[in-house]
Amino acid sequence: NAGVMQNPRHLVRRRGQEARLRCSPMKGHSHVYWYRQLPEEGLKFMVYLQKENIIDESGMPKERFSAEFPKEGPSILRIQQVVRGDSAAYFCASSPLTSGQETQYFGPGTRLLVL
Amino acid sequence: QQQVKQSPQSLIVQKGGISIINCAYENTAFDYFPWYQQFPGKGPALLIAIRPDVSEKKEGRFTISFNKSAKQFSLHIMDSQPGDSATYFCAAKREYGGATNKLIFGTGTLLAVQP
């Protein structure tokens, strides 16, 4: 049973470019979460999605960041016009149900470096 | 009210010793408290979790102690081994009564177990 998959594992972008991060949840999981980890810091919640719905985006920056989880395919975290401060590790997690008790399983992360 | 405070920031323990990491929270609505272990370059992996209806939970060498009145919980690693060297994150979330499922993480503790 494959775990949460994220790609790419490493991404280098120049300032002003777009970064697109992908997350495939564990089989049978329909809930996806994105977290950001800045160097030497803990993980910060960004957004919580179910298929075709954004449930909680309270941690998303107001501009340049967007997320989706389409009916088919992986969840995408998109960062437009990247800046150096966007350099971080971005982790995706998934869980199976919405009752709240289910553990969130994390992927290996995408390390974004903005030059 | 959404913060989870974690200490110490780093910890050095001799092989066979006890590692203790502490966390404190403010939001009394939190009712699920997991600990995650993260190795360099990897995603966080769930280690052990506790709910407020019990004061202690043990799994192998790992024990969570929970003090509801003090709003504190701690991770104890007994017989610490060099392979336990990693960053440990406590977290909290509200499982019931909220629409979101987001985890609030502490800032992490870098544990080094010396042989």
Side-chain angles (χ1 to χ4, degrees):
Chain A
N1 184 16
V4 177
M5 299 177 68
Q6 291 187 249
N7 67 81
R9 295 291 307 276
H10 299 273
L11 182 61
V12 180
R13 285 288 178 265
R14 297 192 180 280
R15 283 179 295 170
Q17 291 183 320
E18 178 180 285
R20 192 170 296 198
L21 288 61
R22 296 175 185 77
C23 169
S24 296
M26 289 180 69
K27 186 177 181 180
H29 289 193
S30 57
H31 299 263
V32 165
Y33 317 81
W34 286 92
Y35 293 83
R36 176 165 63 175
Q37 185 175 33
L38 293 169
E40 309 300 323
E41 293 187 15
L43 289 86
K44 303 291 186 185
F45 169 81
M46 299 182 74
V47 62
Y48 165 34
L49 309 105
Q50 297 174 20
K51 287 282 188 181
E52 300 184 282
N53 282 304
I54 296 175
I55 306 302
D56 180 358
E57 55 182 348
S58 59
M60 287 279 272
K62 299 300 181 189
E63 299 177 349
R64 302 187 296 109
F65 285 72
S66 63
E68 63 177 5
F69 189 17
K71 186 176 181 180
E72 301 292 337
S75 175
I76 306 287
L77 178 67
R78 184 181 291 109
I79 311 172
Q80 297 177 305
Q81 299 177 319
V82 296
V83 300
R84 289 206 173 123
D86 297 333
S87 295
Y90 292 83
F91 291 97
C92 168
S94 72
S95 67
L97 292 171
T98 192
S99 67
Q101 296 190 53
E102 286 67 30
T103 298
Q104 293 180 26
Y105 296 89
F106 282 80
T110 295
R111 274 112 186 122
L112 172 65
L113 176 62
V114 179
L115 300 177
Chain B
Q1 266 232 327
Q2 290 293 317
Q3 279 189 324
V4 176
K5 296 181 180 179
Q6 184 172 347
S7 63
Q9 191 172 12
S10 62
L11 181 61
I12 299 174
V13 173
Q14 295 296 315
K15 180 182 176 182
I18 302 174
S19 304
I20 301 175
I21 305 171
N22 301 298
C23 283
Y25 63 98
E26 298 171 355
N27 189 342
T28 54
F30 289 152
D31 50 14
Y32 176 70
F33 304 90
W35 285 89
Y36 283 83
Q37 179 189 56
Q38 185 180 28
F39 292 103
K42 306 292 185 182
L46 180 68
L47 199 58
I48 187 173
I50 197 168
R51 292 183 173 86
D53 53 340
V54 297
S55 60
E56 185 175 284
K57 182 174 182 181
K58 183 176 180 179
E59 290 184 2
R61 296 185 295 109
F62 301 93
T63 300
I64 299 179
S65 297
F66 186 81
N67 186 330
K68 188 174 181 179
S69 60
K71 294 187 286 186
Q72 295 176 347
F73 58 110
S74 60
L75 175 69
H76 296 233
I77 305 174
M78 312 300 288
D79 187 27
S80 299
Q81 300 297 312
D84 297 330
S85 298
T87 300
Y88 292 81
F89 293 97
C90 62
K93 73 167 180 171
R94 181 180 179 183
E95 283 201 324
Y96 299 101
T100 188
N101 207 18
K102 65 183 179 185
L103 285 165
I104 308 298
F105 281 88
T107 49
T109 296
L110 179 60
L111 171 65
V113 181
Q114 294 184 336

